[in-house]
Each structure stands twice: as structure tokens, then as C-alpha cells.
């Protein structure tokens, strides 16, 4: 239950940023932790291809690869399996290389840093828009769609909020609308856009049609965005 997402529309102002697992038994020892990789499409198991073995000391069912029984501490011969057959020595992992993935670069949509401080980002489309906003150290994803109320998508780490806003756009937009490689995105603003742009942006000669769309979207939804983001403060759950 701790890993279930919170429906922002059903529980306004509630976010989940932490999940504490209290294992009073041996579930995490026998079945693994939440952080480990899980293969959901593995082949069906049978008696000829087991994943567990029985500890000869306490008769507990434990993972086949165990060198020590997590229940009673019985030590297994690393060179032999439960049938007494010689096993190939496993090479121990000696180094791990981490690689960071920039979700902004992976996204199909162009994200506009509204004020140049990397704290307010918006991507707009023909049917919907998504935003990512930082407030008092926390991140919040907000989504809007024509004909519907603007909603808080989620709150939490920046990467989680960015993924939520990106998924929101993927739900309502296609590659034929606001794909970031579309040439028209970098064209000058239309006369209508210039009329409604904030005063400080009308003299920005580097303003593009897409950036103008993002600024206008923000100005039109600024009050509701502020209400949604500030409404989360003090209402988080673990």
C-alpha cells in the first residue's frame, strides 16, 4: 500500500514522499527487497527448475543461491548445490557504474524554463499542458486540459514530478502536435501572442512562438497553479 500512487483529484493536497517498510518476519530476506530488479515475464517454474531449496538445519524454504540460511544461519558449501553436485564459481561483482538519464532530453516534448532558474518548467500542446514547479524545496507536477479543471498530478522528487507531467502530455498529445523537433516551434510569436504576452516579454527579441505559448499558459493559470502547489504544504503522508 505504501507504493500506491495518490490520486490528486480524489485527495487534494496530499502527497507521498517516503515509504517505511517494517518487516517483523523474514519476508524481505526470503523474497527480496523493494529495490531489487524483478522480472515479471520469467518462464513458468517446475520441479526441474526450482528457485528455492530446503535448509537441512531448520527445513525452511530459502532462495537457491543462498550461501547462508537467513533463518538459522546454516552455512552452505559454496562449491556444491543441494544435490551435492559441483557448481561453477560465481565471479563476484567488484564495481558498479552509474549512468544518469536526463528525462528532459528523452522527452518528446519541449520544456520551457520560464524564468531561467530551473524552478518553473512548462510544456504546452494543442489539447493539454504540463508544468513542473518547485516550492519551498519540494517539487510539484501540475496538468491542464481543455474543458477540464487544472489538477495537481503528484508531488515529490523532481524526476518523479517531471515523469508525471510528461506522462500527462503523452496521454493527450501526439507526435503530430508539439513534438520538440517541429520547425514551427522556433518561429517568431504571432501578433495575437504578442498582444497578450506580459509586458516584460514583449521586448524579448529572442522570444519564440512556443516559448510565448508557454508564458501565456502560465499567466492564464498562475493563480490556480499557486493554489495547488501551496495547498500541498503540511499535508504530506509517509
Amino acid at each position: 500500500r505504501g507504493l500506491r500512487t495518490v490520486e490528486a483529484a480524489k485527495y487534494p493536497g496530499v502527497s507521498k514522499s517516503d515509504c517505511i517498510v517494517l518487516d517483523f518476519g523474514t519476508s524481505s530476506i526470503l523474497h527480496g527487497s523493494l529495490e531489487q530488479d524483478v522480472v515479471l515475464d520469467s518462464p513458468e517454474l517446475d520441479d526441474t527448475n526450482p528457485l528455492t531449496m530446503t535448509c537441512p538445519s531448520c527445513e525452511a524454504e530459502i532462495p537457491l543461491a543462498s550461501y547462508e540460511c537467513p533463518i538459522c544461519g546454516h552455512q552452505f558449501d559454496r562449491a556444491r548445490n543441494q544435490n551435492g553436485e559441483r557448481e561453477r564459481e560465481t565471479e563476484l561483482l567488484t564495481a558498479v557504474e552509474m549512468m544518469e538519464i536526463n528525462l528532459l532530453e528523452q522527452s518528446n516534448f519541449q520544456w520551457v524554463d520560464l524564468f531561467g532558474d530551473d524552478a518553473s518548467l512548462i510544456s504546452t500542446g494543442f489539447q493539454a499542458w504540463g508544468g513542473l514547479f518547485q516550492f519551498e524545496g519540494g517539487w510539484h507536477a501540475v496538468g491542464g486540459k481543455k474543458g477540464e479543471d487544472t489538477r495537481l498530478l503528484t508531488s515529490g522528487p523532481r524526476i518523479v514530478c517531471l515523469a508525471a507531467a510528461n506522462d500527462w502530455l503523452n496521454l493527450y498529445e501526439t507526435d503530430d502536435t508539439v513534438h520538440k523537433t517541429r520547425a514551427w516551434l522556433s518561429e517568431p510569436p504571432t501578433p495575437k501572442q504578442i498582444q497578450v504576452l506580459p509586458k516584460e516579454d514583449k521586448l524579448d527579441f529572442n522570444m519564440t512562438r512556443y516559448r510565448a505559448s508557454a508564458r501565456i499558459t502560465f499567466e492564464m493559470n498562475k493563480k490556480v497553479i499557486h493554489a495547488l502547489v501551496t495547498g500541498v504544504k503540511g499535508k504530506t503522508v509517509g
Side-chain angles (χ1 to χ4, degrees):
R1 294 182 180 180
L3 298 182
R4 293 178 182 173
T5 58
V6 177
E7 296 182 29
K10 190 173 181 180
Y11 302 100
V14 177
S15 67
K16 301 169 72 173
S17 58
D18 298 287
C19 177
I20 300 176
V21 178
L22 302 177
D23 184 7
F24 295 101
T26 58
S27 296
S28 59
I29 296 177
L30 293 176
H31 306 297
S33 65
L34 297 175
E35 294 84 5
Q36 73 180 43
D37 292 333
V38 177
V39 179
L40 298 179
D41 57 353
S42 58
E44 294 185 5
L45 301 177
D46 52 40
D47 294 338
T48 63
N49 185 32
L51 287 181
T52 61
M53 61 181 176
T54 302
C55 174
S57 179
C58 66
E59 298 184 350
E61 286 294 313
I62 60 176
L64 183 63
S66 300
Y67 288 150
E68 177 182 340
C69 176
I71 307 301
C72 68
H74 177 82
Q75 299 288 326
F76 294 92
D77 184 356
R78 297 190 178 195
R80 297 181 180 276
N81 59 25
Q82 78 267 31
N83 296 322
E85 300 171 343
R86 188 76 178 180
E87 289 186 335
R88 184 179 63 183
E89 289 294 333
T90 303
E91 183 179 353
L92 297 178
L93 181 66
T94 58
V96 176
E97 181 179 352
M98 304 293 289
M99 181 177 66
E100 181 178 353
I101 297 177
N102 190 329
L103 188 56
L104 284 176
E105 295 179 358
Q106 299 294 322
S107 173
N108 288 332
F109 307 102
Q110 185 178 134
W111 293 84
V112 175
D113 184 356
L114 294 173
F115 307 107
D117 56 1
D118 197 37
S120 300
L121 292 88
I122 274 190
S123 181
T124 63
F126 294 153
Q127 300 298 325
W129 61 270
L132 180 69
F133 306 97
Q134 186 180 36
F135 176 71
E136 295 188 354
W139 286 93
H140 312 278
V142 178
K145 181 180 178 294
K146 288 183 178 179
E148 296 185 8
D149 293 336
T150 300
R151 65 186 65 182
L152 179 70
L153 303 178
T154 190
S155 299
R158 183 178 188 272
I159 189 67
V160 173
C161 292
L162 179 56
N166 195 70
D167 289 344
W168 173 262
L169 282 171
N170 277 319
L171 189 62
Y172 297 109
E173 302 294 338
T174 67
D175 287 351
D176 294 328
T177 55
V178 295
H179 194 282
K180 62 183 178 183
T181 59
R182 293 290 179 259
W184 63 266
L185 296 178
S186 58
E187 293 180 357
T190 65
K192 186 175 181 180
Q193 284 180 319
I194 294 177
Q195 288 181 357
V196 297
L197 273 172
K199 192 177 197 178
E200 61 272 19
D201 292 322
K202 291 183 178 182
L203 298 178
D204 185 353
F205 297 104
N206 293 319
M207 180 70 66
T208 64
R209 182 176 299 183
Y210 185 69
R211 183 173 180 82
S213 175
R215 286 288 284 126
I216 293 170
T217 298
F218 175 76
E219 290 298 322
M220 292 177 61
N221 296 276
K222 182 164 54 176
K223 290 184 178 180
V224 67
I225 291 173
H226 184 268
L228 289 171
V229 169
T230 57
V232 175
K233 182 175 175 56
K235 297 181 181 181
T236 59
V237 294

